Amino acid sequence: MANHGEFQIAEFGFPGPLRDRLVAAILAGTKTSTSSTLVEYSIEDEPLPIIGNMQTVVDSNVAAVATIQTVSVEIVRLADVGLEHAREEGEGFDSVAAWRRGHEAFWHSTEMRNFLNNPNFTVDDETLVVLERFQLIEVLSQAD
């Protein structure tokens, strides 16, 4: 994982409209959690989030826009993700089913499959998911 100054970089989604929405939600304080498949961490040999660590959030232009701090980390089966986490993602999910549909679309996207170097990647109830909660520490600049 790359660093920005003294902190690791936190990238949400891939550059483009999705990242722009996620970053805007972080800056607004409505997004306080995120989800990744456990396998994503192995692709770049990235360590799992650590409670207390600070990260620099970057926008689609890779400009530093905020500092966040990890407050909790859980690894759960996809089937065990709860409504509280889904709501804290700040994307307007009103049910776990809606959260899962949105995330499955992302995890099954061409971009994600290319990133994982697996054109057939899919998730199911048993897929391990890293649930990270964070708090906004500082807004560095406004995203474009």
Side-chain angles (χ1 to χ4, degrees):
M1 173 183 276
N3 285 353
H4 181 275
E6 63 185 287
F7 303 132
Q8 291 180 323
I9 290 177
E11 297 178 280
F12 290 83
F14 296 105
L18 174 60
R19 179 175 292 175
D20 296 340
R21 285 193 308 274
L22 298 176
V23 168
I26 291 167
L27 296 176
T30 58
K31 179 172 180 62
T32 59
S33 70
T34 193
S35 309
S36 304
T37 60
L38 184 59
V39 71
E40 291 171 59
Y41 288 89
S42 66
I43 295 301
E44 295 182 329
D45 199 25
E46 182 179 326
L48 291 173
I50 298 171
I51 295 171
N53 275 12
M54 308 280 260
Q55 299 173 70
T56 300
V57 176
V58 297
D59 65 13
S60 289
N61 298 316
V62 196
V65 296
T67 303
I68 58 174
Q69 182 176 38
T70 301
V71 296
S72 72
V73 179
E74 285 183 272
I75 300 174
V76 302
R77 295 177 329 127
L78 182 56
D80 296 330
V81 174
L83 182 58
E84 180 180 7
H85 179 82
R87 287 184 174 151
E88 289 175 351
E89 289 241 2
E91 298 176 62
F93 299 119
D94 59 358
S95 69
V96 173
W99 172 89
R100 184 162 172 167
R101 280 190 303 275
H103 282 71
E104 283 184 357
F106 175 73
W107 288 326
H108 295 161
S109 70
T110 300
E111 286 177 306
M112 179 56 77
R113 287 176 170 167
N114 288 342
F115 172 75
L116 296 173
N117 197 27
N118 181 348
N120 300 310
F121 179 76
T122 189
V123 296
D124 61 27
D125 284 349
E126 299 305 314
T127 301
L128 293 178
V129 180
V130 179
L131 307 180
E132 178 182 5
R133 291 186 64 232
F134 55 84
Q135 62 184 354
L136 178 64
I137 299 299
E138 180 181 9
V139 174
L140 303 175
S141 67
Q142 291 299 316
D144 294 335

